[in-house]
Amino acid sequence: MKINPPMLLQISRSYIQLVKADSFQKCFGRHFSNTETPTTNSIVNASLVVPISASSMESDNSKKKATDSTWVSKIVLYSFWQSSCSWRVRFALNLKGLSYEYRAVNLGKGEQFTSEFDKLNPLHYVPVLVDGDVVISDSYAILLYLEEKYHQRPLLPVEPQLRALNLQAASIVSSNMQPLHMLSVLRYMEERVGPEEKQLWAKFHIQKGFGALEKLLTGSAGKYATGDEVYMADVFLAPQIAVATKRFNIDMSELPTLRKIYDSCEALPEFQASLPERQPDAPP
């Protein structure tokens, strides 16, 4: 019998289908009945039984480290117990359930100016987070990085308006409040205008920021800043409120929304573990 090209093509296709069906049944027959259609996830899981070389395993692990948020490298946090910026990061790490090594940087003794720390942050501020080969030296950037890499316990909501509101509240604290009463600024103010003016300066900017945040969050707040889940706004607000009341004697009685947010955060074990007095470098 003479086989023409179309017939040869049809025979080839049939043979390939038979081979595929036979191979599939051998590999997956114990997982699926004749009536079941395997899902993509099932096929991926089943394929893990296929032997691979050591070099392939190393390559796959490298890819996993680069792309899989469940792969946790050793996180190191350079922190000072009194730093509210460091406090935010500790709170966020605790919320996400990420373990980390705490490395104290004594700002009072000037340890931030050592050559070793200068390589981590030329601005000589804490916190600095080191995650494998990644070095980040700004609390706002650190939290965004953690949110992008480690997806558990999200710190930003999915809904765009609430997401933007969280970022706005965090930005007010990190850009318009805390930098104006940080240790180096207050020392400079005291040298130039005296201790009383220093305190008045700090209180003015803290109260201005809190007034704006109270108005901003009144319509969205529930138990926390933007509802009944802890998000980035809360992570920035709670340490700032604590510092304002304890260090600068700010009265929160006229800021009921912010007061409620702080009370809710204060009850969280993740917040309690991040408290300044519970850090390794806190004085006894």
Side-chain angles (χ1 to χ4, degrees):
M1 180 178 69
K2 185 177 181 180
I3 301 177
N4 55 35
M7 184 180 295
L8 181 61
L9 180 61
Q10 182 61 40
I11 292 171
S12 299
R13 286 175 175 171
S14 299
Y15 176 74
I16 290 171
Q17 289 175 352
L18 285 171
V19 171
K20 284 184 176 179
D22 183 60
S23 299
F24 180 81
Q25 187 64 29
K26 287 179 181 177
C27 291
F28 304 107
R30 66 180 181 277
H31 296 292
F32 305 104
S33 67
N34 291 333
T35 59
E36 288 179 322
T37 301
T39 64
T40 302
N41 288 337
S42 299
I43 292 174
V44 169
N45 291 336
S47 69
L48 296 176
V49 303
V50 180
I52 56 177
S53 65
S55 60
S56 297
M57 290 178 66
E58 185 176 351
S59 175
D60 287 346
N61 283 340
S62 297
K63 291 178 182 177
K64 181 180 179 67
K65 290 180 184 179
T67 61
D68 187 356
S69 64
T70 63
W71 182 283
V72 181
S73 57
K74 184 178 180 180
I75 297 175
V76 178
L77 178 65
Y78 291 82
S79 173
F80 179 57
W81 70 283
Q82 280 189 309
S83 163
S84 63
C85 298
S86 299
W87 191 349
R88 307 167 191 155
V89 177
R90 297 193 302 262
F91 188 17
L93 287 166
N94 293 344
L95 285 171
K96 283 187 170 290
L98 295 170
S99 60
Y100 61 93
E101 177 185 342
Y102 187 105
R103 292 191 185 176
V105 180
N106 192 321
L107 304 186
K109 293 182 178 180
E111 291 178 356
Q112 69 273 30
F113 298 111
T114 62
S115 58
E116 292 81 4
F117 192 80
D118 182 75
K119 295 174 184 177
L120 297 172
N121 185 8
L123 277 175
H124 310 122
Y125 297 150
V126 291
V128 173
L129 184 131
V130 178
D131 186 14
D133 296 330
V134 178
V135 180
I136 312 169
S137 56
D138 176 86
S139 63
Y140 195 90
I142 289 171
L143 263 68
L144 291 176
Y145 168 80
L146 293 174
E147 184 69 1
E148 289 293 327
K149 183 171 181 181
Y150 301 105
H151 299 154
Q152 65 269 35
R153 189 74 178 269
L155 297 177
L156 288 172
V158 175
E159 202 280 315
Q161 184 176 359
L162 290 181
R163 193 180 186 92
L165 189 58
N166 273 271
L167 293 172
Q168 184 180 357
S171 182
I172 289 173
V173 173
S174 65
S175 300
N176 299 296
M177 295 178 67
Q178 188 277 331
L180 298 173
H181 66 76
M182 62 193 301
L183 184 61
S184 59
V185 171
L186 293 183
R187 282 177 176 171
Y188 179 87
M189 291 290 295
E190 185 171 0
E191 290 172 1
R192 297 298 185 274
V193 296
E196 291 185 6
E197 288 297 323
K198 174 191 73 173
Q199 287 295 108
L200 291 174
W201 163 275
K203 284 187 175 184
F204 171 79
H205 290 290
I206 291 170
Q207 289 169 333
K208 180 182 178 182
F210 279 163
L213 286 163
E214 179 75 16
K215 293 176 182 178
L216 181 69
L217 299 174
T218 297
S220 65
K223 188 176 181 182
Y224 301 102
T226 55
D228 293 327
E229 296 291 335
V230 182
Y231 287 124
M232 191 175 291
D234 306 290
V235 172
F236 276 76
L237 274 169
Q240 179 65 45
I241 294 171
V243 168
T245 55
K246 294 175 183 178
R247 201 178 301 170
F248 298 102
N249 299 316
I250 300 296
D251 181 10
M252 301 296 294
S253 61
E254 296 183 4
L255 304 164
T257 301
L258 298 186
R259 180 74 241 183
K260 181 180 179 182
I261 292 168
Y262 178 77
D263 290 343
S264 298
C265 289
E266 189 180 29
L268 295 171
E270 295 90 346
F271 184 76
Q272 287 294 316
S274 70
L275 289 171
E277 58 268 26
R278 294 194 177 184
Q279 305 317 303
D281 54 332

